[in-house]
Amino acid sequence: PIDRTLAGQLPAVTPGDAVRLAGHVHRRRELAAVTFLVLRDHTGLAQVVVKPADGQEVPPEETPVEVVGIATASSQAPGGVEVTSPVVTALSGPAHTPPVELWRPEIAAGLPTLLDHAPVTWRHPAVRARWEVAAASLRGFRATLDSAGFTEVHSPKIVDSATESGANVFEIDYFGRPAYLAQSPQFYKQQLVGVFERVYEVGPVFRAEPHDTVRHLAEYVSLDVELGFVRDHRDVLSVLREVVAGMRAGIETHAARAVERLGHDLPVVPEEIPVIHFAEALELVGAPEDEPDLAPEHERALGAWARQTYGSDFLAVEGYPMRKRPFYTHPQPGDERWSNSFDLLFRGLELVTGGQRLHRLADYEEAIRARGEEPAAYASYLQAFAHGMPPHGGFALGLERWVARLVGAANIREVTLFPRDLHRLTP
Ligand code: AMO
C-alpha cells in the first residue's frame, strides 16, 4: 500500500516513483492518442495521462477516483510532474453531468444557478476560494483575540426576547410557548464580560429581513467581541482595528493562493482607523441634519471620501443618534442626542456596529422605561448589572459582508455557503 500523495505535493515527488492520488475527476479530455485526466483534491490539480495501452476507463467529470501510477517529469504538466501508466479506480458510481462546467477557469453561471446547485458549484476552485478567504479570516480573528486574553464563548440561539429591534425576529414554538431565534449574542456577551472580562463568539444570528437586498441575509455569521474596563467606545475601536488587521494577516498567511486566484487587493488597514462624527458625515454627504441614519449611497460616498482623504479602506462613523440605537447604548457624555457608538464602513459598506454600553442598573431601568417597556421584562439580563458590571463595550462584524467586499462580490449570497433569505430555504 502506498501513502496518498496530494496534488500539491506531486511536483516534489522524484520522477519514477510510484504514487497514489485521490480526488475528483476535474476534467476528462479525450484526444486521439491519449486521454488527460485532471484530478482535483483539496490542495489543487494534478495531471494524469491515460494511454490506450493502459487499458483504463476514465469515469465522467466529478466522479471521485483513486489513481495509482508513476510520477513522470513533464514540461507540460502543472508543477512539472504528471502521472503516467495509471490504474484508475472509481470510488463511487459515475457522477451525473454537473449543471455547469466546473473545469473552466471562470464559472459560467448566473447567481440563481450557482445557488440552486450550491453543493456542486462550490466545488469550482474559484468559487471555493471565496470561502477559503472566509475561513482564513476566522483564523486571524481568533488568533488576534486569543493572544489578547479573550475567551471564546457560545451563547444560546433560542432566546426569550429580541435584542436589536422587535421587528425582525423569527418566532418559534418552544415546548408550547413562544421563543425567538437570537438576533445577536448581545445580551449574553455583555453578561459574560462580568465573568471573563473579555469574550468573543463566532456564531449564526437570525434576522427576519423582509426585504430583498444584496447585503442582507436571514441567517449570517456574526463575529462578536465584548470587553470590560473600557474608557469609552474609542477603546473598543482600537480593539476592532487590531481584529481587522489580524483578519487580513490570517488571509495572507492561510489563503494567499485563494486571494491570488480571486485577483483582489487585500485591504489597507491604517495604523489608526480614521473617525468622523455622524453629524459631520451627514454634512459631508449633503444629507439633512435631522437624518437618523446613513443610507447605502451615503455609505458609498463616505467610503470613497475615506479612500481619497486618508488612503484607508475603513472609516469609523461615531456618535449615531441615540434614538436610532438600541436601549443598551451609552450616550455621548455632554450631549445625549448622540451616542458613544459607531459603525465601521469597509469600502463604503457597513461592516461593523459597536460601541460603549450602559453599565449601571439604574441607567438600564431608565432607558428601558424611556422606550415604553418595563425593566421586569428584562429581569434575567439585568441580574448582571445588579451585581456589578464594569464600563464595557464591544462590536459585531458580519462575516459575509467582509468577504463580499474583499473579493468584490456584488451580492452577499455569492460568498455564503448556503444562503437563507426571503425566498430560499434550500439547498
Ligand atoms: P447590527 O445589527 O448592526 O449590530 O449587526 C452587526 C453587523 O452584522 C452585519 N449584518 C448583517 N449581515 C448580513 N445580513 C444581515 N441581515 C445583517 N444584519 C447585520 C453587518 C452589521 O454591521 N448587537 C449589535 C452589535 C454590537 O453593538 O456589538 C448588532 O447586532 O455587518
Side-chain angles (χ1 to χ4, degrees):
I2 321 170
D3 284 344
R4 179 182 177 195
T5 297
L6 297 169
Q9 298 168 327
L10 190 61
V13 173
T14 310
D17 282 2
V19 290
R20 181 172 65 87
L21 300 176
H24 285 89
V25 177
H26 186 61
R27 189 175 185 193
R28 178 175 68 178
R29 197 150 66 96
E30 292 167 306
L31 305 181
V34 293
T35 297
F36 287 104
L37 184 175
V38 179
L39 177 143
R40 182 186 76 239
D41 67 19
H42 70 279
T43 63
L45 304 176
Q47 178 163 290
V48 180
V49 184
V50 187
K51 298 209 165 120
D54 300 325
Q56 300 295 303
E57 285 284 324
V58 177
E61 277 145 16
E62 291 312 306
T63 306
V65 293
E66 183 181 85
V67 174
V68 176
I70 305 297
T72 305
S74 158
S75 57
Q76 261 107 64
V81 178
E82 62 190 13
V83 176
T84 57
S85 308
V87 175
V88 179
T89 311
L91 299 176
S92 79
H96 294 193
T97 306
V100 281
E101 288 173 317
L102 298 175
W103 55 265
R104 290 191 184 276
E106 299 301 327
I107 192 156
L111 191 57
T113 306
L114 277 177
L115 300 182
D116 288 344
H117 303 283
V120 186
T121 53
W122 272 105
R123 294 181 185 186
H124 188 280
V127 179
R128 191 179 71 185
R130 299 173 191 165
W131 184 260
E132 287 166 354
V133 168
S137 302
L138 286 174
R139 290 178 72 171
F141 176 80
R142 289 196 166 99
T144 305
L145 293 165
D146 289 343
S147 65
F150 284 76
T151 299
E152 181 166 4
V153 297
H154 286 282
S155 63
K157 302 304 156 212
I158 304 176
V159 297
D160 77 333
S161 70
T163 55
E164 303 308 309
S165 84
N168 61 356
V169 286
F170 287 107
E171 188 174 324
I172 59 165
D173 173 14
Y174 189 66
F175 304 119
R177 61 193 165 106
Y180 306 95
L181 294 179
Q183 288 171 305
S184 155
Q186 183 64 36
F187 289 1
Y188 291 96
K189 65 176 179 173
Q190 289 185 266
Q191 294 170 61
L192 290 170
V193 160
V195 180
F196 300 104
E197 193 185 313
R198 308 184 138 205
V199 295
Y200 72 88
E201 175 167 357
V202 176
V205 299
F206 305 91
R207 304 277 172 104
E209 299 286 354
H211 309 295
D212 254 325
T213 83
V214 295
R215 57 184 197 286
H216 288 97
L217 297 164
E219 175 176 351
Y220 69 91
V221 179
S222 182
L223 310 190
D224 271 87
V225 171
E226 198 77 16
L227 65 152
F229 301 99
V230 299
R231 285 164 298 187
D232 61 22
H233 63 291
R234 289 292 186 105
D235 282 347
V236 178
L237 208 47
S238 315
V239 174
L240 175 54
R241 191 261 161 211
E242 295 313 307
V243 163
V244 170
M247 291 172 77
R248 182 194 195 279
I251 297 169
E252 273 189 300
T253 311
H254 304 295
R257 214 172 41 128
V259 171
E260 204 176 301
R261 171 182 286 288
L262 292 163
H264 276 269
D265 289 340
L266 286 176
V268 181
V269 188
E271 276 307 310
E272 229 175 283
I273 290 176
V275 184
I276 182 174
H277 194 277
F278 183 82
E280 280 176 75
L282 284 185
E283 213 178 291
L284 203 76
V285 300
E289 63 178 24
D290 59 348
E291 201 81 72
D293 212 344
L294 295 172
E297 63 269 23
H298 295 150
E299 292 179 352
R300 277 194 293 275
L302 288 166
W305 175 79
R307 182 85 221 195
Q308 208 167 39
T309 314
Y310 299 103
S312 172
D313 279 322
F314 299 90
L315 176 69
V317 181
E318 66 178 1
Y320 275 76
M322 278 300 280
R323 67 194 156 107
K324 275 300 275 189
R325 291 306 221 201
F327 70 79
Y328 54 74
T329 307
H330 198 292
Q332 180 181 309
D335 191 343
E336 308 226 328
R337 278 175 304 165
W338 311 116
S339 68
N340 268 4
S341 75
F342 58 79
D343 273 7
L344 181 73
L345 309 184
F346 173 32
R347 295 179 176 161
L349 174 72
E350 177 200 324
L351 172 69
V352 179
T353 296
Q356 184 185 359
R357 329 298 187 181
L358 300 175
H359 65 281
R360 294 187 183 87
L361 179 63
D363 292 341
Y364 272 94
E365 290 171 341
E366 195 184 318
I368 291 168
R369 286 205 182 92
R371 310 250 167 152
E373 291 189 83
E374 273 307 312
Y378 296 91
S380 81
Y381 169 51
L382 294 180
Q383 279 188 81
F385 301 95
H387 292 280
M389 277 289 288
H392 64 284
F395 59 85
L397 183 156
L399 178 65
E400 294 83 353
R401 287 197 185 180
W402 164 253
V403 179
R405 268 299 182 263
L406 279 175
V407 308
N411 191 319
I412 196 169
R413 290 162 184 77
E414 291 170 40
V415 301
T416 307
L417 288 172
F418 297 104
R420 292 290 176 262
D421 63 25
L422 200 51
H423 308 290
R424 189 171 290 277
L425 193 53
T426 59

